[in-house]
Structure formats: C-alpha cells, structure tokens
Amino acid sequence: MTTPHGEGPYHCHAHVDPLAGLRTPGDPPCDVYLTGTVFLDIIFTGLDSAPVRGTESWARGMGSSPGGVANMATALARLGLQTSLAAAFGDDHYGEYCWDALEHGEHIDLSTSRTVPHWHSSVTVSMAYEGERTMVSHGHEPPPEEPAPDCPPRARAAIASLTPGTRAPWIAQAARKGARIFADVGWDETGRWDLAALPDLEHCEAFLPNAEEAMRYTRTRCPREAARALTDRVPLAVVTLGADGAYAVDGRTGETADVPAIAVEALDPTGAGDVFVAGFVTGTLAGWPLADRLAFAGLTAALSVQEFGGSLSAPGWTEIAAWWRRVQSYDDQDPTALRRYAFLEDLLPEDARPWPLRRAVPTIGFRTSA
C-alpha cells in the first residue's frame, strides 16, 4: 500500500511522552481506554458547495482512514498516550485495513478488540465544503459479546460518549478500577435535554459538551453560566465555544479558565471535537494548569481542521513543534498570545520539520511495487 505522495502508508510522528515524569512501575497497563464503533471514513474535499439533488458533484481531493471512535484513539496515541481501544471490526477488507492502520500505523493496543465473522464494517462518506461537512453513514450493530473479566483494563483514564437514557456498565467498572472518566455527549434526539438521563455522569471527573448542548441541558442562555451549572453534576465542566474558544470551571476549587480559539482557515472539521478532548485529557493526566490544558486542546483542534479526515488530521508532537517554531517567526506576532503557549517549549521535539507539512493519505487498494 502506498500513498499519493509516496511518503509511505502512515504519517511519521516524533515520540514525546507527556507523562514521562509521572510513570512508576505500578502504573496501569494503559494511559487511556475507550470503546465504540470504528467506521471506514471516505472523505471528499474541494467541493465548491453542498451536493445538489439530481446533479453530480466532483471533488478535487479525497482520502480514506479509520473513523468513528478511531478518531479519538488516534489523537490520543499521536500525543504520546498509551491507548487501548475495544471495538468490533468487520471481517471484510475495510475492517482489515482499519485494524492494520490503528495497530501498526498508530500503535494502538487492540487486544480487547475483535473481528466479527460475517459482519461488514460501518462506513461514512464525508463531504467537506465551506468549512462545513455533510456525512452519510451506513452500518449495523455487531452481535453482543460478553466482555472479558479484565475488560475494561486498568487505565489512568477512560473516555466515554454518553447516550441519553442509557447507562453503560463499563464506565462504572472503569471508575472502580481507578480510571478518571472524561465524557462528551451527542445531540439529544429525544429533545428532552435532561441531565438525569445521563446517569453515568456520576462516575465522571470531566464533562465536555459544546455550548449548545451545555445550555440546553442546563436551561441557561449563556455557555459560561451553563458550565458553572454543570459543576453541580460533575467536578469539571468544559464547554467548547467554537470560534470563541473554550471555557472551563473546576467545581472543586472554583478555578475558571477562558481561552480564545486560534484563527485558522478550516479545510475539514471532521474529528476536531475528538482531537480537542484528546488534548485536554493529555494535559490533565500530565498535571498541567487548567488554562494550559484548554489552550493545548484548542491548539490541537485548530491544527486538525487544517487537514482533511478524522484520524488522518490528528496532530502529533512534530506538527505541534512545527507550528510553534513557525508562529514565533512572525515579527508582528502578539507577545501575549505567544506567552499563552510558552509552556510548550520544554515539551517539543527539536527535529520539527518545516511548516506546512504534507500528510500521508492512505488510499485503499494500492499495492507496493515488487
């Protein structure tokens, strides 16, 4: 398998361990555990507008990559966290490709995952245009399987996507084993927007909804007010504000943080929310101040939207270092903005490549020449 740019099948990332100074012999076997559905994402870019009914649209670019929960897993792994993913994979070519890309390309632990015989992979086609996206998905629930006694494994943290009206037993199990639970939530299709319908919040250390979700759940009209209200249910509330950045409240200490977004030209927002969560989890496990965690999460998300694809666009430390070196080269750069990210200086690898970087785009079906 080759790439259109001839750079090999996977993107190369400098190894940085943000938890190096915290590791001990008795640590859990993984830093972060997560579970969910893996999709094969097929992404079309370079569309001038949304597809019009009854017409054919041509895209100027495309790529394929593992998607769904793989977006979050890849973002975590590229930031240097030992990541364990439990997921079902189809026994078709798409499933084989996604498994190989995650296990060998991103070094994600798939020991708790499985290949399901006679079950096909879920697929999403994503079309990016004008900074927005339209998606069409297809898939079926895999047959149930009793979890192994050691699943979920011991981990420093676990990331959960909460579903209104549903309790996921693994979240309580992970919390009992000492994992710090970080949760986001999707749109409430029931329209109830009732926090009581998210029973697993009681196990969570942090809840990271977007502004609209936060305000609907708290019946407030301001996202910052919503964040404060959420701390009645969860110790740490982080509300993403889109182009306005993010706001967080630690209900245990009363600390707040408000970090503006980095202005970028967005190519494809697919997976940006997952990258934000991964960045915030990384900073939290590393013990950074709240404002630094928010700034780092926002930075990684901003870098991701400048590339297309979900898991493909997740930045590693090489990309972060390249951005930091580049942004300091501007003579008119705001000194206050530079100081906001100065905490990165001691973390970044020295061998950052020039900016901008080309991304390796896996394309299914090509073979390497003999």
Side-chain angles (χ1 to χ4, degrees):
M1 183 168 57
T2 61
T3 71
H5 301 304
E7 298 177 3
Y10 306 111
H11 196 52
C12 181
H13 296 273
H15 179 72
V16 172
D17 182 0
L19 309 186
L22 303 175
R23 298 197 184 279
T24 66
D27 283 346
C30 62
D31 295 325
V32 185
Y33 169 82
L34 63 165
T35 184
T37 301
V38 172
F39 286 73
L40 171 72
D41 280 357
I42 301 173
I43 306 103
F44 292 101
T45 63
L47 290 165
D48 295 323
S49 62
V52 178
R53 181 177 180 178
T55 67
E56 180 179 16
S57 299
W58 281 82
R60 291 186 289 275
M62 71 159 288
S64 307
S65 68
V69 71
N71 294 340
M72 182 81 74
T74 299
L76 292 162
R78 289 186 177 185
L79 292 177
L81 298 184
Q82 298 168 8
T83 304
S84 176
L85 170 63
F89 289 78
D91 65 350
D92 50 15
H93 184 55
Y94 292 168
E96 293 175 358
Y97 160 73
C98 288
W99 187 294
D100 182 65
L102 296 173
E103 183 175 57
H104 298 112
E106 304 295 347
H107 307 292
I108 293 168
D109 172 31
L110 298 179
S111 61
T112 55
S113 291
R114 60 190 172 115
T115 297
V116 181
H118 310 299
W119 181 69
H120 70 77
S121 300
S122 300
V123 177
T124 291
V125 175
S126 177
M127 293 161 280
Y129 54 90
E130 299 175 350
E132 299 294 336
R133 60 178 174 168
T134 297
M135 297 186 293
V136 178
S137 298
H138 173 72
H140 302 280
E141 287 291 326
E145 179 183 71
E146 287 297 319
D150 59 347
C151 189
R154 281 200 315 124
R156 294 175 187 265
I159 300 176
S161 184
L162 304 183
T163 301
T166 302
R167 186 183 286 276
W170 75 264
I171 296 176
Q173 295 167 12
R176 285 195 295 269
K177 291 182 178 182
R180 302 164 71 176
I181 310 297
F182 297 77
D184 61 12
V185 68
W187 191 258
D188 187 355
E189 299 293 347
T190 71
R192 294 175 56 200
W193 298 100
D194 182 6
L195 283 171
L198 302 176
D200 286 321
L201 268 183
E202 65 179 326
H203 305 296
C204 296
E205 174 176 332
F207 185 41
L208 299 95
N210 64 34
E212 186 66 23
E213 294 159 351
M215 289 187 291
R216 286 177 179 267
Y217 271 117
T218 58
R219 308 295 192 270
T220 57
R221 303 181 70 174
C222 167
R224 289 165 177 78
E225 182 183 350
R228 292 189 290 271
L230 286 172
T231 58
D232 291 339
R233 296 295 189 108
V234 67
L236 179 60
V238 180
V239 176
T240 55
L241 309 174
D244 292 326
Y247 180 76
V249 180
D250 190 328
R252 297 162 296 193
T253 64
E255 181 183 8
T256 64
D258 195 343
V259 176
I262 297 175
V264 296
E265 183 176 348
L267 174 63
D268 179 10
T270 304
D274 296 324
V275 173
F276 181 94
V277 174
F280 188 82
V281 170
T282 299
T284 301
L285 295 183
W288 300 349
L290 184 58
D292 289 354
R293 287 180 263 164
L294 271 193
F296 183 72
L299 169 61
T300 55
L303 292 177
S304 77
V305 301
Q306 296 177 81
E307 303 289 342
F308 69 80
S311 61
L312 284 179
S313 68
W317 290 100
T318 294
E319 288 86 348
I320 296 167
W323 171 83
W324 179 237
R325 305 289 182 254
R326 177 68 169 172
V327 77
Q328 292 181 89
S329 70
Y330 292 114
D331 293 335
D332 59 349
Q333 186 61 259
D334 181 0
T336 302
L338 285 177
R339 285 195 296 272
R340 171 63 273 162
Y341 296 91
F343 69 93
L344 293 171
E345 190 66 49
D346 294 334
L347 291 165
L348 299 177
E350 295 294 333
D351 58 345
R353 288 173 287 168
W355 182 275
L357 302 173
R358 292 194 303 172
R359 303 300 293 246
V361 181
T363 302
I364 296 174
F366 292 159
R367 297 181 180 275
T368 56
S369 58

